Amino acid sequence: MIQVFLETAAPRSASVVLLLEVAMGIGLLLGTRLARNGRFRQHAWCQSVIVLLNLAVVVVMMIPSFRVHVFPRLPAKLGKGYYALATTHGAFGTATELAGLYILLCAGTTVLPEKLRITNYKIWMRTVLVLWWIVLVLGMATYTRWYVPHLFRK
């Protein structure tokens, strides 16, 4: 894995984003551990910082990349792995980030009316954690498909 990572055609920013996303995924697992240990305030801070940091990464790095490299070729090229993988990652990632932000709004603020708030946080948080890791794996696959060309030579 390290050798493949070092031999990519990726710009430094894409590699930094990948490493940052992996670190955030690990951070979410650590935050889950905090909740299991009854340290709910630290859990809330940990998860909130990660969800908001990820939002910044998505807005600054991922959306512009998607708009330039993928969106102009949709739907015509959706059948090609390069575009299908990036589109799947983007769709799942968008849904997961929005769900994470929804949890933050419900748990950390009174912005939403009572009837729109979550009542069962545990199932929502566990679902978003699983989705986050699915999106992370899709992101790693997208990075590999885009930037490790020697794996895809015929």
PDB file of all heavy atoms in Angstrom, residues 110-139:
ATOM      1  N   THR A 110     -30.729  24.101  19.061  1.00  0.00           N
ATOM      2  CA  THR A 110     -32.199  24.100  19.107  1.00  0.00           C
ATOM      3  C   THR A 110     -32.753  24.756  17.841  1.00  0.00           C
ATOM      4  O   THR A 110     -33.876  25.257  17.851  1.00  0.00           O
ATOM      5  CB  THR A 110     -32.700  24.850  20.361  1.00  0.00           C
ATOM      6  OG1 THR A 110     -32.164  26.178  20.349  1.00  0.00           O
ATOM      7  CG2 THR A 110     -32.297  24.138  21.633  1.00  0.00           C
ATOM      8  N   VAL A 111     -31.980  24.729  16.777  1.00  0.00           N
ATOM      9  CA  VAL A 111     -32.359  25.360  15.517  1.00  0.00           C
ATOM     10  C   VAL A 111     -33.582  24.677  14.901  1.00  0.00           C
ATOM     11  O   VAL A 111     -34.484  25.344  14.397  1.00  0.00           O
ATOM     12  CB  VAL A 111     -31.176  25.334  14.521  1.00  0.00           C
ATOM     13  CG1 VAL A 111     -31.585  25.801  13.144  1.00  0.00           C
ATOM     14  CG2 VAL A 111     -30.023  26.162  15.047  1.00  0.00           C
ATOM     15  N   LEU A 112     -33.611  23.357  14.942  1.00  0.00           N
ATOM     16  CA  LEU A 112     -34.711  22.619  14.327  1.00  0.00           C
ATOM     17  C   LEU A 112     -35.911  22.542  15.269  1.00  0.00           C
ATOM     18  O   LEU A 112     -35.738  22.407  16.478  1.00  0.00           O
ATOM     19  CB  LEU A 112     -34.264  21.199  13.968  1.00  0.00           C
ATOM     20  CG  LEU A 112     -33.165  21.085  12.919  1.00  0.00           C
ATOM     21  CD1 LEU A 112     -32.744  19.638  12.755  1.00  0.00           C
ATOM     22  CD2 LEU A 112     -33.630  21.638  11.591  1.00  0.00           C
ATOM     23  N   PRO A 113     -37.114  22.584  14.701  1.00  0.00           N
ATOM     24  CA  PRO A 113     -38.300  22.394  15.540  1.00  0.00           C
ATOM     25  C   PRO A 113     -38.284  20.995  16.172  1.00  0.00           C
ATOM     26  O   PRO A 113     -37.700  20.060  15.618  1.00  0.00           O
ATOM     27  CB  PRO A 113     -39.472  22.517  14.556  1.00  0.00           C
ATOM     28  CG  PRO A 113     -38.904  23.026  13.285  1.00  0.00           C
ATOM     29  CD  PRO A 113     -37.436  22.812  13.305  1.00  0.00           C
ATOM     30  N   GLU A 114     -38.946  20.861  17.283  1.00  0.00           N
ATOM     31  CA  GLU A 114     -38.949  19.606  18.045  1.00  0.00           C
ATOM     32  C   GLU A 114     -39.351  18.400  17.189  1.00  0.00           C
ATOM     33  O   GLU A 114     -38.751  17.335  17.292  1.00  0.00           O
ATOM     34  CB  GLU A 114     -39.894  19.747  19.246  1.00  0.00           C
ATOM     35  CG  GLU A 114     -39.777  18.630  20.252  1.00  0.00           C
ATOM     36  CD  GLU A 114     -38.460  18.641  20.998  1.00  0.00           C
ATOM     37  OE1 GLU A 114     -37.940  19.721  21.303  1.00  0.00           O
ATOM     38  OE2 GLU A 114     -37.946  17.537  21.269  1.00  0.00           O
ATOM     39  N   LYS A 115     -40.341  18.565  16.334  1.00  0.00           N
ATOM     40  CA  LYS A 115     -40.815  17.417  15.545  1.00  0.00           C
ATOM     41  C   LYS A 115     -39.831  16.976  14.456  1.00  0.00           C
ATOM     42  O   LYS A 115     -39.971  15.896  13.911  1.00  0.00           O
ATOM     43  CB  LYS A 115     -42.194  17.688  14.967  1.00  0.00           C
ATOM     44  CG  LYS A 115     -42.269  18.816  13.965  1.00  0.00           C
ATOM     45  CD  LYS A 115     -43.702  19.003  13.510  1.00  0.00           C
ATOM     46  CE  LYS A 115     -43.803  20.170  12.560  1.00  0.00           C
ATOM     47  NZ  LYS A 115     -45.175  20.383  12.131  1.00  0.00           N
ATOM     48  N   LEU A 116     -38.837  17.803  14.141  1.00  0.00           N
ATOM     49  CA  LEU A 116     -37.823  17.423  13.151  1.00  0.00           C
ATOM     50  C   LEU A 116     -36.543  16.871  13.787  1.00  0.00           C
ATOM     51  O   LEU A 116     -35.623  16.492  13.086  1.00  0.00           O
ATOM     52  CB  LEU A 116     -37.463  18.625  12.271  1.00  0.00           C
ATOM     53  CG  LEU A 116     -38.565  19.151  11.355  1.00  0.00           C
ATOM     54  CD1 LEU A 116     -38.059  20.347  10.567  1.00  0.00           C
ATOM     55  CD2 LEU A 116     -39.074  18.069  10.421  1.00  0.00           C
ATOM     56  N   ARG A 117     -36.505  16.824  15.098  1.00  0.00           N
ATOM     57  CA  ARG A 117     -35.306  16.350  15.788  1.00  0.00           C
ATOM     58  C   ARG A 117     -35.294  14.832  15.923  1.00  0.00           C
ATOM     59  O   ARG A 117     -36.335  14.193  15.948  1.00  0.00           O
ATOM     60  CB  ARG A 117     -35.200  16.987  17.174  1.00  0.00           C
ATOM     61  CG  ARG A 117     -34.926  18.461  17.094  1.00  0.00           C
ATOM     62  CD  ARG A 117     -34.602  19.008  18.442  1.00  0.00           C
ATOM     63  NE  ARG A 117     -34.740  20.454  18.401  1.00  0.00           N
ATOM     64  CZ  ARG A 117     -34.836  21.206  19.454  1.00  0.00           C
ATOM     65  NH1 ARG A 117     -34.797  20.670  20.665  1.00  0.00           N
ATOM     66  NH2 ARG A 117     -34.950  22.502  19.339  1.00  0.00           N
ATOM     67  N   ILE A 118     -34.110  14.306  16.045  1.00  0.00           N
ATOM     68  CA  ILE A 118     -33.909  12.871  16.221  1.00  0.00           C
ATOM     69  C   ILE A 118     -34.306  12.471  17.640  1.00  0.00           C
ATOM     70  O   ILE A 118     -34.027  13.187  18.595  1.00  0.00           O
ATOM     71  CB  ILE A 118     -32.419  12.516  16.001  1.00  0.00           C
ATOM     72  CG1 ILE A 118     -31.989  12.857  14.583  1.00  0.00           C
ATOM     73  CG2 ILE A 118     -32.148  11.060  16.308  1.00  0.00           C
ATOM     74  CD1 ILE A 118     -30.498  12.770  14.364  1.00  0.00           C
ATOM     75  N   THR A 119     -34.925  11.300  17.747  1.00  0.00           N
ATOM     76  CA  THR A 119     -35.220  10.777  19.082  1.00  0.00           C
ATOM     77  C   THR A 119     -34.309   9.600  19.432  1.00  0.00           C
ATOM     78  O   THR A 119     -34.011   9.371  20.579  1.00  0.00           O
ATOM     79  CB  THR A 119     -36.694  10.329  19.189  1.00  0.00           C
ATOM     80  OG1 THR A 119     -36.966   9.386  18.156  1.00  0.00           O
ATOM     81  CG2 THR A 119     -37.627  11.522  19.061  1.00  0.00           C
ATOM     82  N   ASN A 120     -33.853   8.862  18.419  1.00  0.00           N
ATOM     83  CA  ASN A 120     -32.965   7.724  18.655  1.00  0.00           C
ATOM     84  C   ASN A 120     -31.589   8.029  18.071  1.00  0.00           C
ATOM     85  O   ASN A 120     -31.273   7.644  16.944  1.00  0.00           O
ATOM     86  CB  ASN A 120     -33.549   6.448  18.045  1.00  0.00           C
ATOM     87  CG  ASN A 120     -32.761   5.211  18.405  1.00  0.00           C
ATOM     88  OD1 ASN A 120     -31.676   5.286  18.993  1.00  0.00           O
ATOM     89  ND2 ASN A 120     -33.294   4.067  18.042  1.00  0.00           N
ATOM     90  N   TYR A 121     -30.761   8.712  18.857  1.00  0.00           N
ATOM     91  CA  TYR A 121     -29.442   9.120  18.374  1.00  0.00           C
ATOM     92  C   TYR A 121     -28.534   7.949  18.066  1.00  0.00           C
ATOM     93  O   TYR A 121     -27.747   7.985  17.129  1.00  0.00           O
ATOM     94  CB  TYR A 121     -28.751  10.034  19.405  1.00  0.00           C
ATOM     95  CG  TYR A 121     -29.310  11.427  19.419  1.00  0.00           C
ATOM     96  CD1 TYR A 121     -30.263  11.806  20.349  1.00  0.00           C
ATOM     97  CD2 TYR A 121     -28.890  12.360  18.492  1.00  0.00           C
ATOM     98  CE1 TYR A 121     -30.787  13.087  20.355  1.00  0.00           C
ATOM     99  CE2 TYR A 121     -29.401  13.641  18.491  1.00  0.00           C
ATOM    100  CZ  TYR A 121     -30.355  14.001  19.430  1.00  0.00           C
ATOM    101  OH  TYR A 121     -30.864  15.263  19.428  1.00  0.00           O
ATOM    102  N   LYS A 122     -28.624   6.919  18.875  1.00  0.00           N
ATOM    103  CA  LYS A 122     -27.690   5.802  18.740  1.00  0.00           C
ATOM    104  C   LYS A 122     -27.756   5.180  17.344  1.00  0.00           C
ATOM    105  O   LYS A 122     -26.729   4.971  16.706  1.00  0.00           O
ATOM    106  CB  LYS A 122     -27.979   4.746  19.808  1.00  0.00           C
ATOM    107  CG  LYS A 122     -26.860   3.739  19.945  1.00  0.00           C
ATOM    108  CD  LYS A 122     -27.138   2.739  21.045  1.00  0.00           C
ATOM    109  CE  LYS A 122     -26.884   3.381  22.396  1.00  0.00           C
ATOM    110  NZ  LYS A 122     -26.910   2.397  23.494  1.00  0.00           N
ATOM    111  N   ILE A 123     -28.948   4.902  16.838  1.00  0.00           N
ATOM    112  CA  ILE A 123     -29.075   4.282  15.516  1.00  0.00           C
ATOM    113  C   ILE A 123     -28.605   5.236  14.416  1.00  0.00           C
ATOM    114  O   ILE A 123     -27.946   4.824  13.461  1.00  0.00           O
ATOM    115  CB  ILE A 123     -30.511   3.760  15.248  1.00  0.00           C
ATOM    116  CG1 ILE A 123     -30.550   2.912  13.976  1.00  0.00           C
ATOM    117  CG2 ILE A 123     -31.507   4.890  15.123  1.00  0.00           C
ATOM    118  CD1 ILE A 123     -29.895   1.589  14.108  1.00  0.00           C
ATOM    119  N   TRP A 124     -28.918   6.518  14.552  1.00  0.00           N
ATOM    120  CA  TRP A 124     -28.462   7.499  13.567  1.00  0.00           C
ATOM    121  C   TRP A 124     -26.936   7.578  13.546  1.00  0.00           C
ATOM    122  O   TRP A 124     -26.311   7.567  12.482  1.00  0.00           O
ATOM    123  CB  TRP A 124     -29.044   8.879  13.885  1.00  0.00           C
ATOM    124  CG  TRP A 124     -30.375   9.119  13.248  1.00  0.00           C
ATOM    125  CD1 TRP A 124     -31.590   8.750  13.743  1.00  0.00           C
ATOM    126  CD2 TRP A 124     -30.614   9.761  12.008  1.00  0.00           C
ATOM    127  NE1 TRP A 124     -32.575   9.145  12.881  1.00  0.00           N
ATOM    128  CE2 TRP A 124     -32.012   9.772  11.810  1.00  0.00           C
ATOM    129  CE3 TRP A 124     -29.801  10.351  11.053  1.00  0.00           C
ATOM    130  CZ2 TRP A 124     -32.608  10.334  10.685  1.00  0.00           C
ATOM    131  CZ3 TRP A 124     -30.389  10.925   9.928  1.00  0.00           C
ATOM    132  CH2 TRP A 124     -31.770  10.907   9.754  1.00  0.00           C
ATOM    133  N   MET A 125     -26.342   7.674  14.724  1.00  0.00           N
ATOM    134  CA  MET A 125     -24.884   7.813  14.802  1.00  0.00           C
ATOM    135  C   MET A 125     -24.175   6.570  14.290  1.00  0.00           C
ATOM    136  O   MET A 125     -23.169   6.672  13.586  1.00  0.00           O
ATOM    137  CB  MET A 125     -24.468   8.125  16.236  1.00  0.00           C
ATOM    138  CG  MET A 125     -24.846   9.523  16.659  1.00  0.00           C
ATOM    139  SD  MET A 125     -24.316   9.835  18.344  1.00  0.00           S
ATOM    140  CE  MET A 125     -24.964  11.457  18.606  1.00  0.00           C
ATOM    141  N   ARG A 126     -24.683   5.417  14.636  1.00  0.00           N
ATOM    142  CA  ARG A 126     -24.062   4.175  14.145  1.00  0.00           C
ATOM    143  C   ARG A 126     -24.190   4.048  12.635  1.00  0.00           C
ATOM    144  O   ARG A 126     -23.256   3.634  11.952  1.00  0.00           O
ATOM    145  CB  ARG A 126     -24.684   2.968  14.844  1.00  0.00           C
ATOM    146  CG  ARG A 126     -24.244   2.860  16.282  1.00  0.00           C
ATOM    147  CD  ARG A 126     -24.886   1.696  16.975  1.00  0.00           C
ATOM    148  NE  ARG A 126     -24.396   1.601  18.349  1.00  0.00           N
ATOM    149  CZ  ARG A 126     -24.867   0.758  19.228  1.00  0.00           C
ATOM    150  NH1 ARG A 126     -25.837  -0.088  18.907  1.00  0.00           N
ATOM    151  NH2 ARG A 126     -24.369   0.728  20.448  1.00  0.00           N
ATOM    152  N   THR A 127     -25.351   4.410  12.116  1.00  0.00           N
ATOM    153  CA  THR A 127     -25.569   4.344  10.668  1.00  0.00           C
ATOM    154  C   THR A 127     -24.620   5.288   9.935  1.00  0.00           C
ATOM    155  O   THR A 127     -23.997   4.912   8.943  1.00  0.00           O
ATOM    156  CB  THR A 127     -27.040   4.680  10.332  1.00  0.00           C
ATOM    157  OG1 THR A 127     -27.884   3.738  10.997  1.00  0.00           O
ATOM    158  CG2 THR A 127     -27.289   4.643   8.833  1.00  0.00           C
ATOM    159  N   VAL A 128     -24.501   6.511  10.434  1.00  0.00           N
ATOM    160  CA  VAL A 128     -23.612   7.480   9.785  1.00  0.00           C
ATOM    161  C   VAL A 128     -22.151   7.027   9.883  1.00  0.00           C
ATOM    162  O   VAL A 128     -21.388   7.192   8.929  1.00  0.00           O
ATOM    163  CB  VAL A 128     -23.816   8.899  10.360  1.00  0.00           C
ATOM    164  CG1 VAL A 128     -22.734   9.854   9.894  1.00  0.00           C
ATOM    165  CG2 VAL A 128     -25.185   9.434   9.949  1.00  0.00           C
ATOM    166  N   LEU A 129     -21.768   6.432  10.995  1.00  0.00           N
ATOM    167  CA  LEU A 129     -20.388   5.923  11.119  1.00  0.00           C
ATOM    168  C   LEU A 129     -20.114   4.842  10.079  1.00  0.00           C
ATOM    169  O   LEU A 129     -19.073   4.858   9.418  1.00  0.00           O
ATOM    170  CB  LEU A 129     -20.135   5.383  12.526  1.00  0.00           C
ATOM    171  CG  LEU A 129     -18.734   4.824  12.775  1.00  0.00           C
ATOM    172  CD1 LEU A 129     -17.668   5.912  12.611  1.00  0.00           C
ATOM    173  CD2 LEU A 129     -18.662   4.184  14.157  1.00  0.00           C
ATOM    174  N   VAL A 130     -21.048   3.910   9.907  1.00  0.00           N
ATOM    175  CA  VAL A 130     -20.880   2.859   8.893  1.00  0.00           C
ATOM    176  C   VAL A 130     -20.833   3.483   7.500  1.00  0.00           C
ATOM    177  O   VAL A 130     -19.966   3.137   6.679  1.00  0.00           O
ATOM    178  CB  VAL A 130     -22.001   1.802   9.007  1.00  0.00           C
ATOM    179  CG1 VAL A 130     -22.007   0.870   7.802  1.00  0.00           C
ATOM    180  CG2 VAL A 130     -21.850   1.001  10.302  1.00  0.00           C
ATOM    181  N   LEU A 131     -21.754   4.403   7.221  1.00  0.00           N
ATOM    182  CA  LEU A 131     -21.749   5.067   5.913  1.00  0.00           C
ATOM    183  C   LEU A 131     -20.452   5.826   5.681  1.00  0.00           C
ATOM    184  O   LEU A 131     -19.915   5.835   4.569  1.00  0.00           O
ATOM    185  CB  LEU A 131     -22.944   6.019   5.796  1.00  0.00           C
ATOM    186  CG  LEU A 131     -24.303   5.370   5.620  1.00  0.00           C
ATOM    187  CD1 LEU A 131     -25.407   6.418   5.692  1.00  0.00           C
ATOM    188  CD2 LEU A 131     -24.374   4.607   4.305  1.00  0.00           C
ATOM    189  N   TRP A 132     -19.943   6.480   6.733  1.00  0.00           N
ATOM    190  CA  TRP A 132     -18.693   7.235   6.611  1.00  0.00           C
ATOM    191  C   TRP A 132     -17.569   6.308   6.144  1.00  0.00           C
ATOM    192  O   TRP A 132     -16.790   6.651   5.264  1.00  0.00           O
ATOM    193  CB  TRP A 132     -18.337   7.879   7.949  1.00  0.00           C
ATOM    194  CG  TRP A 132     -17.169   8.804   7.871  1.00  0.00           C
ATOM    195  CD1 TRP A 132     -15.854   8.477   7.649  1.00  0.00           C
ATOM    196  CD2 TRP A 132     -17.178  10.219   7.995  1.00  0.00           C
ATOM    197  NE1 TRP A 132     -15.066   9.589   7.644  1.00  0.00           N
ATOM    198  CE2 TRP A 132     -15.855  10.680   7.852  1.00  0.00           C
ATOM    199  CE3 TRP A 132     -18.187  11.138   8.232  1.00  0.00           C
ATOM    200  CZ2 TRP A 132     -15.517  12.012   7.940  1.00  0.00           C
ATOM    201  CZ3 TRP A 132     -17.836  12.466   8.315  1.00  0.00           C
ATOM    202  CH2 TRP A 132     -16.520  12.895   8.164  1.00  0.00           C
ATOM    203  N   TRP A 133     -17.492   5.127   6.738  1.00  0.00           N
ATOM    204  CA  TRP A 133     -16.436   4.191   6.362  1.00  0.00           C
ATOM    205  C   TRP A 133     -16.644   3.628   4.962  1.00  0.00           C
ATOM    206  O   TRP A 133     -15.677   3.393   4.235  1.00  0.00           O
ATOM    207  CB  TRP A 133     -16.271   3.107   7.424  1.00  0.00           C
ATOM    208  CG  TRP A 133     -15.359   3.623   8.489  1.00  0.00           C
ATOM    209  CD1 TRP A 133     -15.705   4.313   9.612  1.00  0.00           C
ATOM    210  CD2 TRP A 133     -13.930   3.566   8.482  1.00  0.00           C
ATOM    211  NE1 TRP A 133     -14.578   4.683  10.313  1.00  0.00           N
ATOM    212  CE2 TRP A 133     -13.481   4.229   9.642  1.00  0.00           C
ATOM    213  CE3 TRP A 133     -12.994   3.018   7.617  1.00  0.00           C
ATOM    214  CZ2 TRP A 133     -12.135   4.354   9.946  1.00  0.00           C
ATOM    215  CZ3 TRP A 133     -11.653   3.136   7.930  1.00  0.00           C
ATOM    216  CH2 TRP A 133     -11.240   3.802   9.071  1.00  0.00           C
ATOM    217  N   ILE A 134     -17.882   3.456   4.538  1.00  0.00           N
ATOM    218  CA  ILE A 134     -18.149   3.046   3.156  1.00  0.00           C
ATOM    219  C   ILE A 134     -17.665   4.140   2.209  1.00  0.00           C
ATOM    220  O   ILE A 134     -16.994   3.864   1.207  1.00  0.00           O
ATOM    221  CB  ILE A 134     -19.645   2.739   2.949  1.00  0.00           C
ATOM    222  CG1 ILE A 134     -20.019   1.450   3.691  1.00  0.00           C
ATOM    223  CG2 ILE A 134     -19.982   2.640   1.455  1.00  0.00           C
ATOM    224  CD1 ILE A 134     -21.517   1.190   3.766  1.00  0.00           C
ATOM    225  N   VAL A 135     -17.981   5.382   2.539  1.00  0.00           N
ATOM    226  CA  VAL A 135     -17.544   6.512   1.716  1.00  0.00           C
ATOM    227  C   VAL A 135     -16.019   6.617   1.709  1.00  0.00           C
ATOM    228  O   VAL A 135     -15.409   6.896   0.669  1.00  0.00           O
ATOM    229  CB  VAL A 135     -18.197   7.829   2.196  1.00  0.00           C
ATOM    230  CG1 VAL A 135     -17.595   9.037   1.500  1.00  0.00           C
ATOM    231  CG2 VAL A 135     -19.695   7.780   1.986  1.00  0.00           C
ATOM    232  N   LEU A 136     -15.389   6.378   2.852  1.00  0.00           N
ATOM    233  CA  LEU A 136     -13.927   6.421   2.919  1.00  0.00           C
ATOM    234  C   LEU A 136     -13.311   5.364   2.007  1.00  0.00           C
ATOM    235  O   LEU A 136     -12.371   5.644   1.267  1.00  0.00           O
ATOM    236  CB  LEU A 136     -13.447   6.234   4.363  1.00  0.00           C
ATOM    237  CG  LEU A 136     -11.940   6.279   4.590  1.00  0.00           C
ATOM    238  CD1 LEU A 136     -11.332   7.586   4.097  1.00  0.00           C
ATOM    239  CD2 LEU A 136     -11.637   6.074   6.068  1.00  0.00           C
ATOM    240  N   VAL A 137     -13.849   4.157   2.025  1.00  0.00           N
ATOM    241  CA  VAL A 137     -13.350   3.094   1.144  1.00  0.00           C
ATOM    242  C   VAL A 137     -13.591   3.469  -0.317  1.00  0.00           C
ATOM    243  O   VAL A 137     -12.709   3.278  -1.170  1.00  0.00           O
ATOM    244  CB  VAL A 137     -13.978   1.727   1.497  1.00  0.00           C
ATOM    245  CG1 VAL A 137     -13.684   0.688   0.441  1.00  0.00           C
ATOM    246  CG2 VAL A 137     -13.491   1.258   2.869  1.00  0.00           C
ATOM    247  N   LEU A 138     -14.761   4.024  -0.616  1.00  0.00           N
ATOM    248  CA  LEU A 138     -15.018   4.493  -1.986  1.00  0.00           C
ATOM    249  C   LEU A 138     -14.049   5.612  -2.372  1.00  0.00           C
ATOM    250  O   LEU A 138     -13.603   5.678  -3.523  1.00  0.00           O
ATOM    251  CB  LEU A 138     -16.461   4.991  -2.117  1.00  0.00           C
ATOM    252  CG  LEU A 138     -17.548   3.930  -2.167  1.00  0.00           C
ATOM    253  CD1 LEU A 138     -18.927   4.570  -2.034  1.00  0.00           C
ATOM    254  CD2 LEU A 138     -17.454   3.123  -3.449  1.00  0.00           C
ATOM    255  N   GLY A 139     -13.718   6.474  -1.425  1.00  0.00           N
ATOM    256  CA  GLY A 139     -12.740   7.535  -1.692  1.00  0.00           C
ATOM    257  C   GLY A 139     -11.357   6.975  -1.972  1.00  0.00           C
ATOM    258  O   GLY A 139     -10.654   7.450  -2.868  1.00  0.00           O
TER     259      GLY A 139
END
